[in-house]
Amino acid sequence: MLSKIFSSATIGIDAYIVEVETNVEKQIPAFTIVGLPDNAVKESRERVITAIKNSGFDFPIKKITINLAPADIKKEGSSFDLPIAVGLLSAFEKVESKYLSDTVFLGELSLDGTLRPIKGALPIAVEARNKGLKRIILPADSAKEASIVEEAEVYGMESLSEVVKFLNDEIVKEKVFTDKNELFSQINLYHLDFSDVKGQENVKRALEVAAAGAHNIIMIGPPGSGKTMLAKRFPSILPPMTFDEALETTKIHSVAGLIPKDQALITERPFRNPHHTVSDAALVGGGSFPRPGEVSFAHHGVLFLDELPEFKKNVLEVLRQPMEDSRVTVSRSKLSLEFPANFMLAAAMNP
C-alpha cells in the first residue's frame, strides 16, 4: 500500500514543501527512511512506532519504506514525526484520504502520542499558501504563529489520536484565528523605556537623532556613566514596526525557535546584545547547515556591542557586508543562503 502526504521544512529563513511517500508491503520486516534524513529524522522511526502503538492503533510487522522528496536536500529536525505517522496510518488504511492531498502535516511526537511544538511554523505557513495547499495541521503550541497567514486553514492538535479523529470526521475542530489588529494594539510595550532616564540630555539628543535617521551610534564614556542603560532603552524611541517588518522579523526568530508559544508575532523592535567573546559565525550566521546570526536576529532593530574594543578583530571585520548591504550571504560547498540584516548598530566603549 502506497500513500503520499505533504510536510515542509525550512532552509535559511524560507520553507519548502516535502512530499512524504510511504510504502508498506508484505516482505521481511524493516523500517527505512530515505531522502537525506539527519539523525533526528532517522530517530523518528522509534518515536513514531511507539506513538502509534500508545495511541491505540495496531502496527503490522511489514517492510516499510519512507521517502522524503526532494531527495537531494538534507532534512533536519523532528517535525517529520507527525507526517510519517499519518502516512503510515494512511497506508494501514486507518485514515481517510480525502484531506491528505491538500494538507501540510507538521509535529514532533512524544512516546505517548502527544504533539510537541516545532520551529519555523510561520515560513512554512507562507510556503503552504504559496503552493496552494489549503490547510495546515500542527501542534497546538505552534498554531498561533502559523495562523498569522490568513489564507491558510490552521488547526492546532494535541495528539496523534486527535489528528486521526479529525481526518476521519469523528471530531470537529475550529480553525485557529489571530487578529492582527489586536496584536498591533499592544505594540511598543517595552519593559525598559527611554523616559526612565533622568538627565543625560546631550546623549539623549544624540540617540534621538540616530533613531530619526536610522544612523549607527557609538557612545564613549567612563564606566558607570549610563552607556548600557541608554542603549537598552534605545529601541523604545524607534518608529513602530509595520506588519511587513514584523512578519520578516518573526520568520527569522521562528526558524531559530526563539518565539514564545503564547506570542504569534514579534511587534517590538529586537534588541540583541552579544557578549564580546562571540564568534564570527555566531554574529553573522554560519555552521555546516547555515543558521542566522545575531545581525539577523537584530533585523529591523538594534545590535548593541558593549565594550567594543574587546571584540576580536575578525569578528568586527565580518560586520562590513551586513552594514553596507543590509544582508548576509553565507556560502558553503553545497549551498549558499542569504539572511536579511537591516539593523542599527549601537556600540559603547571606555575612553
Side-chain angles (χ1 to χ4, degrees), residues 324-341:
E324 291 177 1
D325 302 336
S326 298
R327 65 179 185 274
V328 176
T329 303
V330 181
S331 298
R332 295 293 180 265
S333 58
K334 294 183 179 179
L335 78 164
S336 180
L337 296 176
E338 190 173 277
F339 300 114

Side-chain angles (χ1 to χ4, degrees), residues 118-166:
I118 60 165
K119 298 178 182 178
L122 177 58
I124 288 171
V126 172
E127 180 66 11
R129 175 198 64 187
N130 294 342
K131 295 296 183 183
L133 296 167
K134 288 175 60 178
R135 68 185 66 81
I136 303 170
I137 294 177
L138 74 173
D141 287 343
S142 301
K144 194 171 182 181
E145 178 188 332
S147 65
I148 292 296
V149 183
E150 294 179 338
E151 295 85 349
E153 297 179 14
V154 177
Y155 297 93
M157 301 289 179
E158 298 290 346
S159 65
L160 175 61
S161 58
E162 188 177 18
V163 173
V164 174
K165 289 177 182 177
F166 174 76

Side-chain angles (χ1 to χ4, degrees), residues 258-334:
L258 298 179
I259 299 179
K261 66 179 182 180
D262 58 343
Q263 187 173 350
L265 194 69
I266 293 178
T267 56
E268 296 177 0
R269 295 196 177 271
F271 177 82
R272 302 296 295 187
N273 182 14
H275 193 259
H276 62 258
T277 57
V278 67
S279 67
D280 51 356
L283 189 64
V284 300
S288 57
F289 197 84
R291 296 288 188 217
E294 291 290 336
V295 296
S296 296
F297 294 139
H299 186 54
H300 294 312
V302 177
L303 176 68
F304 178 51
L305 303 184
D306 203 0
E307 303 296 344
L308 184 66
E310 301 297 328
F311 285 80
K312 297 174 185 175
K313 183 175 184 294
N314 65 304
V315 172
L316 295 178
E317 289 292 336
V318 296
L319 284 173
R320 290 181 184 271
Q321 187 200 10
M323 290 182 68
E324 291 177 1
D325 302 336
S326 298
R327 65 179 185 274
V328 176
T329 303
V330 181
S331 298
R332 295 293 180 265
S333 58
K334 294 183 179 179

Side-chain angles (χ1 to χ4, degrees), residues 4-6 86 90 96-103 105 167:
K4 294 183 180 182
I5 67 173
F6 293 104
V86 173
S90 175
E96 297 289 337
S97 60
K98 60 181 179 180
Y99 293 126
L100 301 184
S101 61
D102 55 1
T103 303
F105 295 88
L167 294 174

